[in-house]
Amino acid sequence: TQLEGDRRQNLVDELLTRHKQLEASYRNEGPEPDMTRSSLMAGGVKRGITNPWLLEESEETRGLGFDELRQQQRRIIEEQDAGLDALSSIISRQKQMGQEIGNELDEQNEIIDDLTNLVENTDDRLRTQTRHVKMVDKKSTSCG
């Protein structure tokens, strides 16, 4: 429809204008770069159309230049790297502890297996001796 065509043409015009503003801002041309940057980052309604791509700039980045933002990002990344290094060392230590626990369990299982064998041998000898005692008892009662 004609209305849809006009709406789409308006959107294309707005995108072209925004593109030109961004290029001018990048080359530091046109109005003050900080002013252009603020207007680009500010959300709002133009001609009754809400643009979902525009977000409110946070307080910690408001007023910062490109270099300052890059430095802030580097600092945040360095902090995250330090946190990841600490987490990595903790996980490595837990892995080592798990392996040591596994080795200790293997040794304890071997000891338990040895004890089981000794108990079974002792049990067999006790049964044999108990049979001998019963036999001697039976013979002693029949003799006397």
Side-chain angles (χ1 to χ4, degrees):
T1 65
Q2 180 64 33
L3 185 62
E4 180 64 18
D6 290 341
R7 185 184 73 81
R8 289 183 181 193
Q9 184 61 45
N10 286 339
L11 288 173
V12 169
D13 291 341
E14 285 181 26
L15 284 173
L16 288 173
T17 302
R18 189 155 310 271
H19 181 263
K20 288 177 184 176
Q21 288 174 343
L22 284 172
E23 282 184 341
S25 173
Y26 181 73
R27 286 182 265 137
N28 290 331
E29 295 175 356
E32 274 185 55
D34 288 337
M35 186 64 176
T36 303
R37 181 169 176 262
S38 298
S39 66
L40 289 173
M41 296 298 288
V45 177
K46 287 187 178 179
R47 297 185 205 151
I49 300 171
T50 303
N51 188 342
W53 301 106
L54 297 177
L55 304 173
E56 284 291 323
E57 187 173 5
S58 68
E59 288 295 325
E60 57 190 26
T61 60
R62 187 167 291 144
L64 297 179
F66 294 118
D67 290 333
E68 294 165 328
L69 283 172
R70 198 172 301 136
Q71 287 174 353
Q72 182 182 23
Q73 287 176 341
R74 283 188 187 132
R75 184 176 32 80
I76 290 170
I77 289 171
E78 288 171 0
E79 289 172 3
Q80 289 175 345
D81 286 346
L84 288 173
D85 289 341
L87 181 62
S88 174
S89 67
I90 290 170
I91 290 173
S92 295
R93 177 68 180 136
Q94 287 181 337
K95 177 184 175 186
Q96 182 183 5
M97 288 171 55
Q99 290 172 338
E100 289 174 6
I101 289 171
N103 292 340
E104 183 67 25
L105 284 173
D106 290 342
E107 290 177 20
Q108 296 292 327
N109 283 335
E110 287 178 18
I111 292 171
I112 289 173
D113 289 343
D114 291 344
L115 282 173
T116 302
N117 289 335
L118 289 172
V119 167
E120 286 174 356
N121 290 341
T122 303
D123 189 43
D124 288 342
R125 283 187 283 161
L126 275 171
R127 287 175 199 236
T128 303
Q129 293 303 321
T130 302
R131 270 187 267 134
H132 285 275
V133 168
K134 285 182 181 178
M135 208 185 296
V136 169
D137 186 42
K138 193 177 196 183
K139 286 183 181 179
S140 70
T141 54
S142 65
C143 292

